[in-house]
Amino acid sequence: MVSADSMPPNCPGGHDGAPDTGAGVHLQNQLEVLIQDFRTSTEPPMPVFVVHAQQGEDDDAVAGLVRQLYRGQEAHRTRCAVAQDAYEGDSEVRRAAAMVRALSDPKKWGGPKAVYRRYAFPRLRLVHAVDDAVAALGDSWPAPAQGSPEAGQDQRQRLLDQLAEQRWRPRNTARWRSGLQLFDMAHILPASLVTVLAALLARSEWYVAVSAGLVFLLLLTVLNYVLPGRAPIFLWLRRESRWFMTTTFLRAADQDQPTEVSLLRPVRSWKAIAARAYGVAEALKAGGDFHLQLCVLALREDLRDNHRRWSWDLRGFKRPRPPVLFLPHADARDGGIELIRAISDVRSRRSELDPLLVIAAVRAHDVPRLERSVVRAAPAAAVEPPKFGDRLRTWYREWAHNLRAEQSPSRERSVLPWVMKVPLPHDQLGPVEEGHPHRRASARPTFARLVWAVHTLVLVIALLTAGTVIRSDTLHERYCQASLLTANRDTRRAEAPGGGTECIGIATDGLRFADWLPAPGTGPGSQVAALTAGAGPPWTVTDLEDRIARQNEDVLAHHSGRYVTVVYAGPLSADTASGSSLVKGAEELAGVYLAQAVINDSSGVKLRVLTANGGVDLGHQEEMAEAIAAYAAHDPTVVGVVGTGRDLKSSRATTRTLMEAGLPVVSGTNSATYLPREFANWFSLAATDEWQTRQLGLIAAQLRTPGRRQFALVLARDTARTDDLYTDEQARYGGEMLRRQGFTLLGQRRYTLSGGKPELRSHAQEICRGGRVPSVIYFAGRVEDVDPLMTRLGTEPGCAGKPLAILTGDDLSKADFAGGGQSVAPKVTLYHAALAELRTAATGTSFYLDAARHLPGLRGHRLRHDSPALASGQTALAHDATRALFWAASRDDRPQSRASTWVNLRNVKIEGLATGTIDFTRAPLYGDRTGHGIVLKEVRRTGDGTSDPRVVCSRTAGDTRPLTRKECPVR
């Protein structure tokens, strides 16, 4: 405690409440010393100052002094209450209780100058509610007369019904009083906020989350305040109810009754409150000092709570001055003396300090009623009597020193330990000279008041709201699946090449890539015009993703610890504006799903499949690989990746990212020559570009006339502004092959795209009208460029009607020549490679029966190797790649780790698959393997204008015999 000699500074400037008597100045200074100590958090004990005149004729002057102190403290912005009315009651105790009841009105404490908001008195109001309920039940409660209507009723229930009718409030109080009592929101509002947060964490849209919270708030409000005759919702969680149940002052005599309240036990808590209310009501009915002391205890606890420093609003820091109660006339008429006694008695029974400071004026003839005082008498006169101010400080020090012992129960009953009598001599009640200074504790605003205040809260809320909106917008702009505060970071948005937005990454938490497919005029999720190369398969990506999700749910629900996870990484975006096709991704995903369905039907180890999208033509496959690696880092069940079926400039970085994550890659269609030579984690079912062109050389050799100079050229798509590496490899290896076969190679030509369409007119003119017209063209382009090329060659003078051979790679295997999707020009013969020999392998596989049973749109169909949905081989290759990876991941019929799967892949040899035998046992580390499937096809124009494809020669997967020129005759 700060020393009483450490006086606060003088009050700057005068005011209406400035003391004008000697006693007033000294008492005001002593109050400011206590307030200064209170401000510095030392929590000094607050006495009940009982001031009285030493001479009876000065009683009115003492009462005036107290009123003057009241005005002075009010001017100092202290929260003050003054009791100067005569309260009703048939006894002095009842009148004292009525005085305390009047003090439960927040308006009694402090005027407009008071710091921070008004006080709240929930505990005191709860006591008054029970008291009013007892009064409403009448004098006959709880023992009604025999034969009366109330005699046969449950008296406890009668009390609870009356309290429910009052809404557990004092009678005749406005329902919406005191800043909207609607905000029993101490619990209703937090419950609504929890609802909002739960919706946000479930990644609902922000407006769905806010709507859910508002609806829940409205529902609870209606239940809490509109339905009549009910106790308020969350009554047992209110602070007054917790105090009601935990204070030892009201400890129930019946130990069998529950006495605690709990958030998780509402029924038990309600029974405890009901039992406590009944016991308190009976005690109030009995009369005596209990009512007054309970009111004083509730007032004291409310004031302690109103000055609790570490509350949510730091209100104790914002109220640096303690509350002061002034009693100008404490006597039998207003119950003031009984109130003083009750305050002292309750404080003696409790161990906590409270902030209430009481200044009471007592008439001289009533002083004997308060003889129980620590200050026995004024100090004896000395040679030089001490000044009154010094004596006052000495009395306070003695009172504070003796307070510990005087509260002991073993002390004589005549002691009122919390009362400090201050006798005022006549000479101190006279006026002092004008301008006499008085003290004032520091009026500087507290840090909490400046920082943790409404204006700060408004500013913080505004900043948080703005930040939340900005963050939400950022999340929604950056990620595919986002709510107000969170986002699924496994996927992100990217700009599609032809405009619009595509979703890149690995699909988790229910995300569907089908929802991001372009659908002009039909809304997201529709796949109208998405399958653009030919008629496309009879299923959609939506169908496949839904079926994969159902398989995954079953695996997670019923086979925990007995499954492995494979990621399909492919192009699951479509850009119809540029002519890009979704067929490849849709067909590959169908193969992966088919493998999953067959495996989960027949294997003890189950397969879970996650889909990953690398964008249109895998243009964002690096970002896709990073998302897969990040996900695999916290999901050890991920054992490998199937897909990455396009050879791009980013393929090295993609494969390296997956290798560093410990993930092997099994690709069905990527024919890159360099990947198996540079990366140990790369396994592919596709014949490499270099090996493919060597096989095409068997045909080119037959197109060469010995002894005659023949021209050839390479026509390739321009890749300067693209990520395409497949075209560059095809062009390079195709040119080398033609040179080896003895053709005179003309300069390589590169055509560009305009609006997604190839610009071939000038190239066709220069090729066909020059003096050196080639007899063979190696076309290093894409399947969607074939029709425009044939149109130019069929109409350009110099080429039209003349024999011409075009050689090209495996991308043409996606063309539908037999079904009329693509065609060749007259006199033009097209030779292309394909990666899967399905016709020969069909006799030894169950692939087509499985496809008819599991794939959408094919149930009940009789499928063959040349069925349009499966003829391209994309589905078969993806199916076989998935089966090979799963075999390595489930060796010995146990789920394998990621590292074991990588090692086991070099021991994979599976027969009877859609493309033949998948055999990695002879795959050298950092070298080319043998046993790839290959088909060389010839396409000619027929007399009716259609195209006639023919297999020139082939090898199924697993057949390592080299093709020969004799096996591959051309017509």
Side-chain angles (χ1 to χ4, degrees):
M1 182 177 65
V2 176
S3 171
D5 293 326
S6 179
M7 297 293 288
N10 289 337
C11 180
H15 49 75
D16 292 341
D20 58 3
T21 64
V25 171
H26 294 302
L27 283 170
Q28 181 79 293
N29 292 343
Q30 183 60 43
L31 293 180
E32 293 298 323
V33 168
L34 292 176
I35 292 170
Q36 181 78 9
D37 290 349
F38 183 82
R39 183 185 181 96
T40 56
S41 76
T42 57
E43 294 188 354
M46 297 296 183
V48 177
F49 284 105
V50 173
V51 294
H52 63 90
Q54 287 185 341
Q55 300 175 15
E57 61 270 15
D58 293 331
D59 287 342
D60 291 339
V62 172
L65 171 65
V66 171
R67 294 191 187 93
Q68 190 178 70
L69 291 174
Y70 165 70
R71 291 191 297 271
Q73 286 301 313
E74 192 175 38
H76 288 179
R77 304 182 72 181
T78 301
R79 289 186 174 272
C80 304
V82 58
Q84 48 190 355
D85 299 326
Y87 297 96
E88 296 182 358
D90 56 7
S91 67
E92 192 172 348
V93 171
R94 287 288 185 180
R95 290 192 288 274
M99 181 188 299
V100 177
R101 178 170 188 141
L103 295 175
S104 66
D105 184 356
K107 295 180 181 179
K108 291 282 188 180
W109 295 86
K113 294 183 179 180
V115 177
Y116 199 45
R117 54 189 175 90
R118 288 175 175 172
Y119 282 152
F121 296 96
R123 299 165 184 81
L124 190 52
R125 287 168 61 83
L126 177 59
V127 174
H128 296 334
V130 177
D131 187 39
D132 286 353
V134 172
L137 291 174
D139 295 337
S140 62
W141 186 89
Q146 294 293 332
S148 64
E150 295 82 8
Q153 300 178 14
D154 185 345
Q155 301 306 309
R156 175 178 294 184
Q157 191 59 46
R158 286 184 63 200
L159 175 69
L160 295 178
D161 290 343
Q162 180 60 37
L163 284 169
E165 182 179 339
Q166 298 173 199
R167 305 292 296 166
W168 288 71
R169 301 188 188 92
R171 298 184 71 182
N172 302 322
T173 56
R175 173 173 292 192
W176 314 111
R177 182 182 177 184
S178 184
L180 281 180
Q181 274 290 351
L182 169 67
F183 290 87
D184 168 32
M185 304 253 158
H187 301 290
I188 290 181
L189 189 58
S192 303
L193 292 176
V194 168
T195 303
V196 172
L197 290 176
L200 289 176
L201 292 176
R203 292 200 174 98
S204 301
E205 294 292 340
W206 69 267
Y207 52 85
V208 175
V210 173
S211 299
L214 291 177
V215 170
F216 192 68
L217 174 64
L218 180 61
L219 175 64
L220 290 181
T221 302
V222 170
L223 293 177
N224 199 34
Y225 289 97
V226 175
L227 297 180
R230 296 289 185 270
I233 295 177
F234 303 123
L235 173 66
W236 74 95
L237 295 181
R238 290 180 173 181
R239 52 184 172 175
E240 60 267 31
S241 298
R242 292 196 299 270
W243 166 80
F244 201 52
M245 297 307 301
T246 55
T247 177
T248 56
F249 192 86
L250 298 178
R251 181 68 179 177
D254 186 359
Q255 298 300 319
D256 294 334
Q257 294 290 343
T259 58
E260 73 279 356
V261 291
S262 169
L263 173 65
L264 302 179
R265 306 184 73 175
V267 175
R268 181 181 176 88
S269 301
W270 165 248
K271 290 180 179 179
I273 293 174
R276 179 57 53 86
Y278 184 76
V280 170
E282 285 187 318
L284 292 176
K285 185 70 175 180
D289 292 344
F290 174 78
H291 184 189
L292 175 59
Q293 293 199 356
L294 180 57
C295 290
V296 169
L297 174 64
L299 173 67
R300 172 183 179 276
E301 293 300 324
D302 281 332
L303 289 174
R304 289 182 69 240
D305 188 48
N306 281 307
H307 282 269
R308 188 159 54 91
R309 300 199 172 199
W310 298 112
S311 55
W312 69 270
D313 57 350
L314 304 180
R315 52 184 172 269
F317 289 103
K318 299 176 188 179
R319 292 167 174 160
R321 301 178 74 88
V324 184
L325 173 61
F326 291 92
L327 305 175
H329 294 288
D331 53 23
R333 292 177 302 167
D334 61 6
I337 292 180
E338 286 300 325
L339 176 59
I340 293 171
R341 289 178 174 176
I343 291 173
S344 182
D345 291 343
V346 170
R347 282 179 167 178
S348 296
R349 292 181 60 177
R350 309 298 295 175
S351 60
E352 305 94 347
L353 293 172
D354 66 77
L356 180 61
L357 189 57
V358 182
I359 312 295
V362 177
R363 297 182 182 275
H365 65 81
D366 285 333
V367 172
R369 300 185 61 191
L370 291 169
E371 279 301 325
R372 298 182 285 171
S373 173
V374 175
V375 182
R376 304 301 180 184
V383 176
E384 184 178 351
K387 295 180 180 179
F388 181 77
D390 295 333
R391 281 183 284 163
L392 185 59
R393 290 192 290 275
T394 300
W395 292 341
Y396 178 79
R397 283 195 295 268
E398 290 179 1
W399 172 84
H401 177 75
N402 296 330
L403 183 61
R404 305 173 192 168
E406 296 298 341
Q407 293 186 91
S408 172
S410 62
R411 285 279 175 159
E412 57 179 317
R413 295 286 297 170
S414 63
V415 174
L416 286 177
W418 286 90
V419 173
M420 176 179 165
K421 288 197 298 100
V422 180
L424 301 179
H426 178 76
D427 63 335
Q428 291 296 320
L429 295 174
V432 295
E433 60 187 47
E434 187 175 353
H436 188 81
H438 64 279
R439 307 290 179 174
R440 181 179 183 179
S442 174
R444 175 173 44 86
T446 61
F447 179 78
R449 182 182 164 201
L450 294 175
V451 175
W452 194 256
V454 173
H455 61 273
T456 308
L457 179 63
V458 170
L459 177 61
V460 169
I461 290 176
L463 292 175
L464 286 177
T465 302
T468 301
V469 170
I470 293 173
R471 176 175 172 78
S472 178
D473 289 343
T474 301
L475 292 177
H476 280 82
E477 290 176 0
R478 182 176 300 172
Y479 300 105
C480 304
Q481 191 179 59
S483 63
L484 186 62
L485 298 175
T486 61
N488 178 352
R489 298 175 184 271
D490 294 327
T491 53
R492 69 170 187 84
R493 295 175 180 236
E495 186 177 351
T501 304
E502 54 184 345
C503 184
I504 306 300
I506 181 170
T508 58
D509 293 338
L511 184 137
R512 298 284 193 273
F513 290 120
D515 295 337
W516 294 83
L517 294 177
T522 58
S526 172
Q527 297 182 53
V528 175
L531 304 176
T532 58
W539 55 76
T540 65
V541 174
T542 300
D543 297 333
L544 297 173
E545 285 190 309
D546 288 344
R547 294 189 177 214
I548 289 173
R550 288 196 291 272
Q551 290 276 342
N552 291 344
E553 289 171 2
D554 181 72
V555 168
L556 294 175
H558 303 106
H559 305 283
S560 178
R562 292 285 297 171
Y563 71 90
V564 293
T565 301
V566 167
V567 180
Y568 166 69
L572 294 177
S573 297
D575 180 15
T576 56
S578 65
S580 177
S581 170
L582 182 62
V583 169
K584 179 179 179 62
E587 291 188 344
E588 286 185 340
L589 185 60
V592 175
Y593 162 67
L594 178 57
Q596 180 188 31
V598 171
I599 288 168
N600 289 344
D601 279 350
S602 59
S603 175
V605 178
K606 304 301 179 182
L607 176 61
R608 173 173 168 248
V609 172
L610 296 178
T611 57
N613 183 24
V616 173
D617 294 334
L618 285 178
H620 295 280
Q621 67 171 346
E622 283 189 75
E623 294 93 325
M624 175 190 69
E626 291 169 359
I628 294 172
Y631 178 82
H634 59 79
D635 186 351
T637 68
V638 177
V639 294
V641 175
V642 170
T644 63
R646 289 180 67 92
D647 182 15
L648 305 172
K649 295 174 184 175
S650 57
S651 293
R652 280 189 174 90
T654 297
T655 308
R656 184 177 296 107
T657 297
L658 296 174
M659 181 185 68
E660 291 172 352
L663 293 169
V665 182
V666 182
S667 179
T669 59
N670 192 326
S671 57
T673 303
Y674 59 92
L675 288 176
R677 297 174 181 177
E678 296 180 14
F679 297 98
N681 67 322
W682 180 261
F683 301 83
S684 180
L685 276 57
T688 63
D689 294 322
E690 184 179 17
W691 190 77
Q692 283 184 50
T693 55
R694 284 207 303 267
Q695 311 316 305
L696 286 170
L698 298 174
I699 293 177
Q702 299 177 61
L703 301 175
R704 177 80 174 89
T705 303
R708 176 185 169 191
R709 188 181 186 190
Q710 286 180 258
F711 296 102
L713 68 78
V714 174
L715 177 62
R717 181 187 278 195
D718 185 11
T719 60
R721 298 183 179 180
T722 69
D723 196 28
D724 185 11
L725 196 56
Y726 168 83
T727 296
D728 293 339
E729 284 214 326
Q730 285 283 320
R732 178 159 62 94
Y733 293 125
E736 291 176 359
M737 179 270 294
L738 292 173
R739 191 176 288 110
R740 282 198 304 270
Q741 298 301 330
F743 288 91
T744 301
L745 206 61
L746 302 175
Q748 186 180 119
R749 289 187 172 274
R750 293 275 180 164
Y751 65 89
T752 59
L753 299 180
S754 176
K757 302 299 181 182
E759 291 284 351
L760 293 167
R761 181 174 180 176
S762 61
H763 293 288
Q765 290 175 348
E766 294 178 14
I767 291 172
C768 298
R769 295 182 183 181
R772 298 185 294 179
V773 178
S775 60
V776 175
I777 296 176
Y778 192 92
F779 179 64
R782 294 291 182 178
V783 63
E784 55 265 26
D785 301 338
V786 170
D787 276 346
L789 175 63
M790 293 299 175
T791 299
R792 291 296 177 187
L793 294 178
T795 59
E796 189 65 41
C799 291
K802 295 182 180 179
L804 177 64
I806 296 179
L807 305 178
T808 187
D810 62 82
D811 198 62
L812 268 291
S813 62
K814 294 182 289 186
D816 181 22
F817 291 107
Q822 279 82 20
S823 63
V824 296
K827 299 294 184 178
V828 173
T829 305
L830 176 68
Y831 300 94
H832 73 86
L835 300 176
E837 166 53 289
L838 301 181
R839 181 183 60 180
T840 305
T843 58
T845 182
S846 63
F847 171 77
Y848 300 97
L849 294 175
D850 294 333
R853 187 167 64 251
H854 293 290
L855 288 181
L858 297 181
R859 180 174 292 277
H861 289 233
R862 183 168 181 173
L863 301 178
R864 292 165 36 90
H865 67 276
D866 55 355
S867 296
L870 305 174
S872 70
Q874 303 278 328
T875 300
L877 288 164
H879 166 273
D880 290 1
T882 306
R883 294 288 296 269
L885 181 57
F886 177 78
W887 188 96
S890 60
R891 188 173 181 179
D892 301 326
D893 203 26
R894 290 187 296 113
Q896 302 291 303
S897 68
R898 196 174 300 163
S900 297
T901 300
W902 187 341
V903 172
N904 294 340
L905 273 169
R906 299 203 174 272
N907 298 315
V908 168
K909 185 174 183 180
I910 312 175
E911 298 182 0
L913 295 184
T915 61
T917 300
I918 305 304
D919 185 2
F920 292 148
T921 57
R922 290 190 294 271
L925 195 62
Y926 303 111
D928 298 333
R929 75 178 183 93
T930 57
H932 295 291
I934 188 69
V935 180
L936 300 182
K937 288 187 177 183
E938 176 189 83
V939 185
R940 290 178 182 269
R941 190 171 182 118
T942 62
D944 59 1
T946 60
S947 297
D948 177 29
R950 178 184 73 91
V951 174
V952 177
C953 54
S954 64
R955 287 282 185 269
T956 59
D959 189 344
T960 59
R961 292 174 300 151
L963 287 172
T964 63
R965 179 173 173 175
K966 183 178 181 180
E967 286 181 278
C968 303
V970 298
R971 292 181 292 188

